[in-house]
Amino acid sequence: MSAFKRVLVANRGEIALRIIRACHEEGLEAVAVYSEADRLSAHVRAADAAVPLGAAPASESYLNIPKLIAAARTTHCQALHPGYGFLSERAPFVDAVTAADLVFVGPPAEAIRAMGDKTAARRRMQAAGVPIVPGTTKPLGSVVEARPEAARLGYPVLLKAAAGGGGKGMRLVREERELGSAFEAARSEALKAFGAGEVYLEKYLERPRHVEVQILADANGRVVALGERECSIQRRHQKLIEEAPSVAVTPALRRRISDAATAAAGAAGYRSAGTIEFLLTPGGEFYFLEMNTRLQVEHPVTELVYGVDIVREQLRIANGLPLRIHGGPLQPRGHAIECRITAEDPFNDFLPATGVVRYLRPPTGPGVRWDGGVEAGNEVTLFYDPLIAKLIVWGETREVALHRMRRALRELVIVGLPTSQAFHLRVMDEPRFRRGEVDTTYLERVGAELLAQDSRPELTRPLAAVAALLAEERRAAAHPPAPSDGRSARESAWVQTARRESLRRWTE
Ligand code: ADP
């Protein structure tokens, strides 16, 4: 296999920047793509070359297969990294990439197909001896078929879309009389979201944790498990905070769940980075939920506790090289936490926010990592997901990591639009979270109480200082001082003093 030297990064935002950085660290060139909305984005400047794709809607840009392939061709790329989201888990895209003689930095199309249909994946896992959530392993034709299955499992049950993702097409059914309408609702939602209406049933597990295992598999058939991530802090089945390792996983459980994940990856004929998601019950039983056949948003927490750069390993694997990870079962070192900083208003039911980021000061200092894609001056639109950045910290213990995350969240200043920052700070202070007593219903139970008041002194002080400064600069820009005018010159000096003052005040 001839080694590739130049990679098309078929994504945007923080993950595009993350992949470009990994390419450069591996001595590879990276080519960015961008939509009209992302002209000024950091990932465009970070790359060695950048190709415009077209208008802002994803269908005209990041989801447009012919345009992506053409971009790779014209810039002489030999490989393509899909990132996450967009086309990353679409088998036909992998086929098109491969047909264009490009190396796909990800799993084989067959593995994506095998794991993309959830009922087929459940059958495959069952055959490989991986425990699956009790339920059906074939799509249900009608509610008539569903009824006896639901009764067998015992209510509550969960209806799920076979093609599912992002929590779509999922319906909780607490009792039999709700089954009919829930079945139709799940089916039509699935049809709309995925173009496939097949649904199946799972037993609804009460208060499980979402625990997932990161794996890396190379072309020689070697599969390595990089322990687990705890992803139970979710809102509407979307993760908001992730940690590694999970406080609920003992070394013995880690071995068992890692073995199950390794078996799952083997059964899928997997290659590259992938994640096996499990639900872990309060009793310590774990069940296969699904496999994500791509790099995940939350991969950095694993990187920090295992000392492995997952994206660089992906690039190596795609180039036919063996994994750089040596030795037997790996042990996590210390503790890592990630908060997804999104343009959403936690005090208004997480309503997505849009607007220009006027000022951005990411936290720095020991043990802090900022995986961002948005900079001051960039506009956050509704065209793409609301992720501004991932704030990740590492500490020797969970306690240290918690303190560090609190400190980092307090250092972060974002002006221009509402973000999830204050929400994260409150979770870090919440006693049950601090004790590690979390499950996937955590936010449903404590969210309202957590977000009762919509202001926070630690955040409002630096924000107010920056907002005042920006207002002053706007006024100054609207009335530029004439050199001969003594009064305007004095005003300008006043603006400068205000700037110094604000800076001094934030850093006190
Ligand atoms: P999607 O692919 O749509 O994201 P998943 O199957 O990965 O759906 O599930 C997403 C989340 O939904 C899980 O993390 C968990 O919080 C919840 N969930 C899924 N299946 C079950 C179940 N059987 N019992 C309880 N909660 C579940």
Side-chain angles (χ1 to χ4, degrees):
M1 174 189 260
S2 70
F4 56 79
K5 294 269 179 278
R6 188 177 294 166
V7 182
L8 189 90
V9 181
N11 215 299
R12 65 178 297 281
E14 70 87 18
I15 199 62
L17 193 54
R18 166 78 185 88
I19 297 163
I20 292 165
R21 285 170 169 161
C23 286
H24 288 162
E25 291 174 17
E26 280 296 303
L28 303 170
E29 288 179 339
V31 177
V33 290
Y34 62 99
S35 72
E36 269 166 29
D38 287 336
R39 246 173 30 253
L40 305 175
S41 295
H43 81 275
V44 176
R45 288 195 315 278
D48 301 288
V51 182
L53 292 175
S59 56
E60 315 239 338
S61 50
Y62 303 104
L63 285 176
N64 191 304
I65 297 176
K67 284 184 183 176
L68 290 166
I69 304 277
R73 279 238 167 90
T74 52
T75 54
H76 307 289
C77 288
Q78 302 103 13
L80 181 149
H81 196 307
Y84 55 65
F86 295 125
L87 295 165
S88 58
E89 290 180 285
R90 305 255 184 104
F93 178 55
V94 183
D95 290 337
V97 169
T98 318
D101 259 343
L102 295 162
V103 177
F104 183 73
V105 185
E110 277 323 304
I112 296 180
R113 281 198 183 91
M115 304 312 276
D117 177 333
K118 288 191 178 185
T119 49
R122 281 164 62 76
R123 290 195 296 277
R124 191 181 284 252
M125 291 303 112
Q126 206 170 33
V130 177
I132 60 172
V133 182
T136 61
T137 52
K138 292 221 171 86
L140 298 160
S142 67
V143 69
V144 177
E145 237 175 85
R147 200 160 277 130
E149 293 290 350
R152 181 178 63 81
L153 289 168
Y155 289 89
V157 294
L158 202 58
L159 279 163
K160 285 183 152 184
K168 291 205 185 79
M170 213 188 282
R171 283 287 182 288
L172 172 60
V173 188
R174 292 232 167 245
E175 40 192 286
E176 184 175 358
R177 62 185 175 82
E178 297 170 359
L179 189 66
S181 59
F183 190 90
E184 287 316 315
R187 185 147 72 177
S188 75
E189 193 174 302
L191 198 61
K192 220 165 91 192
F194 313 112
E198 283 82 27
V199 295
Y200 69 101
L201 271 174
E202 275 181 14
K203 172 84 187 151
Y204 179 73
L205 302 175
E206 299 284 354
R207 299 181 65 158
R209 287 172 184 261
H210 176 117
V211 170
E212 58 185 33
V213 178
Q214 174 73 55
I215 61 101
L216 280 169
D218 69 15
N220 302 328
R222 179 159 176 242
V223 184
V224 173
L226 295 176
E228 80 287 353
R229 293 186 282 261
E230 163 76 66
C231 310
S232 296
I233 309 293
Q234 305 178 347
R235 185 179 168 276
R236 301 203 176 136
H237 308 304
Q238 298 291 320
K239 300 161 187 165
L240 296 172
I241 299 174
E242 300 96 345
E243 300 182 45
S246 165
V247 298
V249 175
T250 60
L253 179 54
R254 180 167 304 122
R255 266 195 302 279
R256 286 201 294 130
I257 200 168
S258 295
D259 286 348
T262 310
Y270 205 77
R271 198 174 63 228
S272 191
T275 297
I276 327 291
E277 298 189 334
F278 296 94
L279 291 179
L280 177 64
T281 67
E285 302 294 323
F286 62 86
Y287 301 101
F288 169 83
L289 192 58
E290 65 167 341
M291 178 165 189
N292 291 137
T293 52
R294 56 168 157 79
L295 179 67
Q296 275 188 292
V297 176
E298 61 271 27
H299 75 275
V301 289
T302 300
E303 295 188 320
L304 295 185
V305 295
Y306 283 92
V308 173
D309 187 311
I310 293 168
V311 184
R312 283 174 49 211
E313 290 306 313
Q314 274 193 305
L315 291 166
R316 277 178 65 87
I317 293 167
N319 241 334
L321 298 167
L323 289 169
R324 252 173 310 210
I325 300 161
H326 307 288
L330 304 166
Q331 299 302 327
R333 183 176 154 265
H335 198 92
I337 307 175
E338 170 178 286
C339 289
R340 300 191 188 192
I341 308 294
T342 57
E344 291 175 311
D345 186 355
F347 301 109
N348 190 5
D349 202 25
F350 285 85
L351 191 74
T354 57
V356 174
V357 176
R358 296 299 316 273
Y359 183 91
L360 174 61
R361 188 187 63 172
T364 54
V368 175
R369 170 169 162 183
W370 177 261
D371 275 23
V374 174
E375 297 173 317
N378 288 166
E379 187 177 355
V380 176
T381 67
L382 288 178
F383 288 114
Y384 317 113
D385 76 54
L387 187 67
I388 292 175
K390 303 178 312 204
L391 173 57
I392 313 115
V393 301
W394 179 88
E396 308 85 280
T397 62
R398 186 168 186 267
E399 190 61 22
V400 174
L402 281 169
H403 279 296
R404 190 163 271 165
M405 182 56 92
R406 233 178 141 263
R407 184 273 286 172
L409 283 165
R410 289 173 69 160
E411 271 184 30
L412 168 63
V413 184
I414 304 180
V415 182
L417 71 182
T419 76
S420 57
Q421 180 183 12
F423 160 78
H424 289 298
L425 204 39
R426 287 182 188 195
V427 175
M428 293 304 131
D429 285 344
E430 199 279 318
R432 278 155 289 190
F433 179 79
R434 294 191 73 88
R435 289 196 298 268
E437 293 167 10
V438 296
D439 61 67
T440 57
T441 67
Y442 171 87
L443 221 51
E444 261 165 58
R445 290 180 292 109
V446 307
E449 170 198 333
L450 216 53
L451 299 167
Q453 286 174 328
D454 76 349
S455 71
R456 170 136 215 140
E458 295 96 312
L459 294 182
T460 46
R461 203 170 58 102
L463 280 178
V466 182
L469 176 68
L470 290 170
E472 199 51 57
E473 283 188 348
R474 261 201 304 277
R475 271 197 292 279
H479 307 286
S484 58
D485 182 341
R487 215 176 84 105
S488 299
R490 267 203 308 282
E491 270 180 10
S492 158
W494 189 86
V495 170
Q496 283 171 18
T497 312
R499 180 184 290 119
R500 268 200 308 278
E501 268 305 295
S502 315
L503 279 169
R504 195 176 60 75
R505 251 180 295 144
W506 316 329
T507 48
E508 258 167 10

